[in-house]
Amino acid sequence: MSERQYAAHVGLSRGAIQKAKTAGRLVLHEDGSIDAAASDKRRLETTDPSKTRKAPAPKLKPVPEAAVAAVGDTLREQGLSAPAVGGGTTFLQAKTANEVLKAQERRIRLQKLKGELVDRARAETLMFWLARDERDAWVTWPARVAALMAAELGTETAAMQKVLEAHVRAHLEELAQPRIAL
């Protein structure tokens, strides 16, 4: 092999091969070409391991399982194939999930700007006050109509109001049973 061919063979520069040749760490044929097999063996025996360059190991940070699970969830929500649990996520899948999340975030931001979305805390507060006003209206209704109903039926006003209040409170208790969970 020539110096260039041997340099490509071992992954070193031509200058490094020339230094090794000068230092006698290579086995040469009579015509000056390099005996690759014998030179590999001699270089291995004579080269100081502390002076060799090793390819740096890639420094990969571990990815939390929650992040990997979130990638899978996002992909599944969009109808795309997601890795099996513990199966590992490819870079392409993670990048696709990231792009999907960015698109969803932009869509939500646009809906907020258009006024199509409202703040959840504000909506819950408004619903609370609306429900309270409705309940208060029903609680005060028997006192307002008891006298009119008693006059139409020819009964005592206090008894009519007492019966109406009991039935309205029972009805409000029934209405309070289903809980809305947002």
Side-chain angles (χ1 to χ4, degrees):
M1 284 186 170
S2 69
E3 288 177 357
R4 283 194 179 134
Q5 290 171 330
Y6 188 70
H9 167 71
V10 295
L12 296 172
S13 68
R14 184 169 174 235
I17 298 304
Q18 288 173 339
K19 285 181 184 178
K21 188 176 183 181
T22 306
R25 289 185 305 210
L26 299 179
V27 178
L28 304 174
H29 292 291
E30 291 177 13
D31 63 351
S33 63
I34 301 170
D35 180 356
S39 293
D40 288 344
K41 186 176 178 186
R42 184 178 287 174
R43 273 188 45 254
L44 187 64
E45 293 169 353
T46 60
T47 302
D48 183 5
S50 66
K51 297 197 179 194
T52 60
R53 280 192 230 168
K54 294 179 181 139
K59 294 181 180 178
L60 301 176
K61 294 180 182 177
V63 178
E65 277 298 317
V68 174
V71 168
D73 292 344
T74 302
L75 291 172
R76 277 188 288 281
E77 285 174 6
Q78 297 303 313
L80 301 170
S81 63
V85 177
T89 301
T90 65
F91 177 75
L92 182 60
Q93 288 172 322
K95 189 169 181 158
T96 301
N98 184 44
E99 292 301 316
V100 166
L101 286 173
K102 286 196 295 188
Q104 288 173 345
E105 187 178 343
R106 286 186 193 116
R107 187 182 72 236
I108 290 170
R109 202 175 312 132
L110 182 61
Q111 287 173 331
K112 280 184 182 178
L113 289 172
K114 288 180 176 180
E116 296 172 359
L117 292 180
V118 294
D119 180 42
R120 179 181 175 149
R122 184 170 180 249
E124 286 177 345
T125 302
L126 288 173
M127 285 300 297
F128 172 80
W129 288 109
L130 177 65
R132 178 172 275 183
D133 289 345
E134 190 72 22
R135 183 206 63 196
D136 290 348
W138 272 103
V139 167
T140 58
W141 179 76
R144 286 185 290 127
V145 298
L148 295 173
M149 291 175 80
E152 286 181 27
L153 296 173
T155 62
E156 191 178 317
T157 302
M160 177 63 78
Q161 184 173 346
K162 193 172 192 174
V163 169
L164 281 174
E165 284 177 355
H167 285 286
V168 166
R169 289 192 185 281
H171 183 63
L172 288 175
E173 284 293 322
E174 289 175 19
L175 292 176
Q177 293 307 317
R179 298 284 181 205
I180 297 174
L182 300 175

